[in-house]
């Protein structure tokens, strides 16, 4: 089956530093990748849509300069939280979609727990 | 605009009892509908999906859901709960015209299974 690997699974960083989270589709080339943020006991909030070789499309209210997304290849997208602050602490999840047989299916990474101290 | 509502943020069921999780959608055109399960500190796993084919959809782990257009619903059921079903469940919608696969999630329902 299609596997999406997200790394790291957990990260603790100091306030003011930047953190990079990787999302890789291991056995398929992803049409599109999405980045979500999940607050404790809350739903997933879509942050941005990422297509290879083009600028990410951010959802309203998401700071582009705070959350930098790079989609260098069809199998790798990265989310960099710049100048992190405690309020950026959250669970970040990526998904990669594949188009096959006229259907689009999304596969999710295992998530990254970011704690900013 | 489309939206999805999950009724009940928390459901407690006894082991062996019926599991029923409610999901209603709002959309000008019936969307594609999905149910995902999330275990603590993990990503989401697809349980089942409705993509305009059969209205009764069977998924993994004994779950099934029925699309009812007249009720704009896509409720998830499982006849007999197992301890391993304890998790967070999310209903999601996607526009049929969206080839990127952009999903909109409901608020989620936490399922607790008691012995």
């Amino acid at each position: 089956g299609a596997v999406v690997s997200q790394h790291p699974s957990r990260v603790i960083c100091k306030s003011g530093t930047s953190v990079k989270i990787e999302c890789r589709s291991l056995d398929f080339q992803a049409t599109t990748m999405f980045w979500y943020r999940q607050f404790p006991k809350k739903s997933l909030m879509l942050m941005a849509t990422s297509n290879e070789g083009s600028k990410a499309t951010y959802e309203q209210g998401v700071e582009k300069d705070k959350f930098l997304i790079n989609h260098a290849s069809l199998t790798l997208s990265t989310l960099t939280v710049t100048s992190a602050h405690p309020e950026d602490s959250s669970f970040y999840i990526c998904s990669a979609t594949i188009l096959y047989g006229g259907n689009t299916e999304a596969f999710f990474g295992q998530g990254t727990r970011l704690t900013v101290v | 605009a489309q939206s999805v509502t999950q009724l009940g943020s928390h459901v407690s069921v006894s082991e062996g009892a019926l599991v029923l999780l409610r999901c209603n959608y709002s959309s000008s055109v019936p969307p594609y509908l999905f149910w995902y399960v999330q275990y603590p500190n993990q990503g989401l796993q697809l349980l089942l999906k409705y993509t305009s084919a059969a209205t009764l959809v069977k998924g993994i782990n004994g779950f099934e859901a029925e699309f009812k257009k007249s009720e704009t619903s896509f409720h998830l059921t499982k006849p007999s709960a197992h301890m391993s079903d304890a998790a967070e469940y999310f209903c999601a919608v996607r526009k049929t015209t969206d080839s990127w696969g952009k999903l909109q999630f409901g608020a989620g329902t936490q399922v607790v299974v008691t012995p």
Side-chain angles (χ1 to χ4, degrees), chain B residues 2-4 8 56 61 63 83 86 88-90 95 103 108 112:
Chain B
Q2 62 180 15
S3 65
V4 57
L56 181 61
N61 301 339
F63 285 94
M83 297 299 288
E88 185 87 21
Y89 292 80
F90 293 96
K95 290 182 180 179
L103 294 167
V112 174

Side-chain angles (χ1 to χ4, degrees), chain A residues 18-74:
Chain A
S18 295
V19 174
K20 179 185 286 187
I21 302 170
E22 292 188 347
C23 180
R24 293 180 183 272
S25 54
L26 297 185
D27 48 3
F28 67 99
Q29 292 184 326
T31 311
T32 304
M33 290 186 173
F34 297 91
W35 287 96
Y36 297 87
R37 181 173 179 176
Q38 186 177 30
F39 292 98
K41 300 189 183 301
K42 296 290 186 182
S43 187
L44 282 74
M45 179 191 78
L46 179 65
M47 298 175 67
T49 303
S50 174
N51 289 292
E52 184 263 341
S54 60
K55 290 183 178 180
T57 302
Y58 290 82
E59 295 297 303
Q60 190 173 7
V62 178
E63 299 178 59
K64 300 178 182 180
D65 296 331
K66 161 69 83 174
F67 300 100
L68 299 179
I69 292 173
N70 182 273
H71 198 149
S73 74
L74 287 172

Side-chain angles (χ1 to χ4, degrees), chain B residues 24-109:
Chain B
N24 288 87
Y25 69 89
S26 174
S27 177
S28 56
V29 177
Y32 293 152
L33 293 149
F34 306 79
W35 275 101
Y36 287 89
V37 61
Q38 183 183 33
Y39 297 98
N41 293 309
Q42 293 188 28
L44 275 67
Q45 180 182 11
L46 180 66
L47 283 176
L48 47 78
K49 61 183 177 182
Y50 167 76
T51 54
S52 306
T55 56
L56 181 61
V57 181
K58 293 186 183 300
I60 62 171
N61 301 339
F63 285 94
E64 65 178 39
E66 185 172 9
F67 170 70
K68 293 186 176 181
K69 184 178 178 180
S70 61
E71 299 177 7
T72 61
S73 69
F74 190 57
H75 300 333
L76 180 72
T77 61
K78 181 173 180 177
S80 177
H82 192 273
M83 297 299 288
S84 61
D85 295 325
E88 185 87 21
Y89 292 80
F90 293 96
C91 181
V93 297
R94 192 185 96 213
K95 290 182 180 179
T96 58
T97 54
D98 185 341
S99 59
W100 285 1
K102 185 176 178 179
L103 294 167
Q104 183 171 353
F105 289 89
T109 299

